[in-house]
Amino acid sequence: MVHLFHKTYGKKKNNMKLVDTHCHLTFEPMFDRLRPVLDRARKANVDRVIVPSYDLDSWKQMEHVAGFEGVFCAYGLHPWVADQPLSPTDLERALDRDKVVAIGEIGLDYKIPGYDRRRQMEVLRTQLDVAVERSLPVILHCRGAFDDLLDVLASYNGNVTGVLHAFSRGPQLALRFTDLGLYLGFGGAITRPGAIRCHESAGVVPLGSIVLETDAPSIGLYGVEPTDVEPKHVLDIAESLASARDTDMVDVARITTRNAEKIFGL
Ligand SMILES: [Zn+2]
């Protein structure tokens, strides 16, 4: 990827605002150094970060990260830990906390060894029910289960809104989700020159259906190890997306940020 950003957008850059719509600030190595991580993000024009929870333990750390300016939270149970006891009452109580903007991350993952499809679906449905009841958007994770996820979303008759995060698949699948009114989160994959399908999707999906994310510290960028990824890297992701769409990076920033503000009510 050719990095033209600093030459071409030097001046306009100052007015740009970006949002990292998916970053696990509760995970190490970021959790221990939140202040410098968020300072570096701000210097890269990333002034807001949405932190999805993972397991029930991560719920405890969420209040700490929510104490930082520009940090917003999502509560939910990830499909990898769907065997943990999820009580809708506990979820409701967590959602009453400050700076909660979504339920997440939740979803289906049939690629993990020993998964229990039925339990994953049950936990997903429980959380989607709460999302609809409270009119909250969801942050969705999906691997190897796209047909089932599309089916369950369709069964809510358009009442589920939110983001399918870490999207790296082809245009056909992309449009099945955006047709349902879902947004797609593009992240590190788009920075890889070999990610052809992902680049194709980025070129086809309307910019009005795209948000940006790092998923730090889980997914690397081209030339950056996953554990070195921070919210500041949204700037590189925006640049790669602009290049894949052959469009102006300032427009990518403006529209994806507006999308994030609209979905999450930021
Ligand atoms: Zn994640």
Side-chain angles (χ1 to χ4, degrees), residues 22-24 27 52-54 78 105 139 141 165-166 213 215-216 218:
H22 195 117
C23 175
H24 295 278
F27 290 1
S53 45
Y54 169 62
H78 195 287
E105 70 182 276
I139 298 172
H141 166 110
H165 104 94
E213 60 167 72
D215 197 19
S218 313

Side-chain angles (χ1 to χ4, degrees), residues 77-88:
L77 199 61
H78 195 287
W80 292 353
V81 286
D83 55 338
Q84 292 193 355
L86 176 73
S87 127

